[in-house]
Amino acid sequence: MSKIKKLIRTPGIFFADMAIKRGYGKTVAFSHNTSQVINPKEESASSKPPVKKIPQKNTATTETLNTDAINFFMPASVLLHTGEGEASGSAHLSMWIPYFSGSGCQFTILVRNIGLYSWVRKNYPLIPVAYAKNPIDVETVINRLPSLQACFYPSNTGNNIHLLRFNHIEHVFIGHGDSDKSASAHKFFRVYDKIWVAGQAHIDRFNNSSFCTRHLEFIKIGRPNLKDILLRSENPWHERSSFISILYLPTWEGVFEEQNYSSTKISGEIIRKVKENFKVEVNVKFHPMTGNRDKTLVNIREDLGKALVQIGLPINIEQRLTPIHELLKKTNVFICDISAVVSECLSADGPIFVFIPQDREIKLSQSDMPYDYYSYTFSSPSELIEKMGRVLAGDDYLSDKRREAIDYLIGRSQTLESEFSRQLSLYKQ
């Protein structure tokens, strides 16, 4: 290709080749605030006398900035930022990337974890993504995106502040689900210009909070990743399959004990009782962050699988990064903890059994529709079996309430009418 085309299409290669031709050797990295080449190839000892090397202080030993996957000559009006590590960040990004891509709006991803950066490069090789570890690296990326209008945040991480300080762009929280966890409504949300929510439930959680929320701007955009599930769920759940398939989705143990809504520690007993009492298929998917705080749960997938095989109750335990919406297509009854997966399971319109811990003090961000209004709540395996027996026998007495909850939590009309894409299109160049 010509030099001009090479500059536009592959600027990284263009400048690397230019450096080599001008005698700098292979370019390894560039400083964020100078054009100096770092770690250039040494000249041959035969051509020049040896030079005594002076020890360098504070020499970087790890990469803090990588923009190889971005062509900055292609304008991007939207940035999708996550400050999470690989486990959570990959789940959040895989939820949103297809819908940012399908909107037609030019966007770039910014991640803060090198493992997550490698994951994006591997799984979405055509998506522009940058890795920036430090605040000054973030500034370097932002300064190279002059057309940027808005930054979207799937989660509240501390390093979001490195983006929030830029006043010339809008800051929009989009989240990665919808639940009554305490993290769903607190004062940190006041840093954003807009909060995009699925339905009215998330707005009501803020209205029911103990702090002023009058200045917050909410926009209902539904749950784009659940559109296909909503369309598939128009027939009654017991008519969609010749057998009952149960999906169990325990959440992780939370950052603090007051946010520990998890049934993971009793998951073995829950599965054993369900399999022994009902002729059903059971699939389990543990949260990607399981074991992050409680290290005894790090190997829960392997440990539980072996234990169930030994007692003659083998089940299917899904990979932690398997998309939940893919599992919803082949199951019709659900067991959940207090988490965003409850609203995802709602889209499949099948009976939902929600674990409510009674052995610990937990905090919630209450909407105007509690879990026991539309789901079968339980606090012990025996209570689960009692209520499940009644439902599987044909008495799904919360079916009408469940459909009401779909509108309230998910935003059925906004989802089906692709409101997310319409709102995102407002940022097109």
Side-chain angles (χ1 to χ4, degrees), residues 18 25 79 102 128 175 193 244 273 327 349 373:
M18 181 180 70
L79 189 70
D193 296 303
I244 296 175
K273 285 188 173 292
L327 302 178
D349 194 12
Y373 182 81

Side-chain angles (χ1 to χ4, degrees), residues 137-153:
D137 300 318
V138 170
E139 183 175 7
T140 299
V141 175
I142 297 300
N143 288 341
R144 293 298 310 276
L145 297 170
S147 300
L148 194 63
Q149 298 182 44
C151 181
F152 288 80
Y153 305 83

Side-chain angles (χ1 to χ4, degrees), residues 68-70 118-129:
D68 289 349
I70 297 180
S118 298
W119 180 89
V120 176
R121 293 293 304 271
K122 177 182 178 181
N123 291 275
Y124 298 95
L126 301 181
I127 299 296
V129 57

Side-chain angles (χ1 to χ4, degrees), residues 273-302:
K273 285 188 173 292
V274 169
K275 289 289 289 183
E276 289 178 347
N277 284 273
F278 310 108
K279 293 182 178 180
V280 295
E281 177 185 277
V282 177
N283 299 281
V284 181
K285 180 187 176 300
F286 289 100
H287 192 283
M289 292 289 287
T290 302
N292 193 60
R293 180 169 66 90
D294 186 345
K295 300 306 179 184
T296 65
L297 301 174
V298 169
N299 297 317
I300 181 66
R301 186 174 178 272
E302 296 78 11

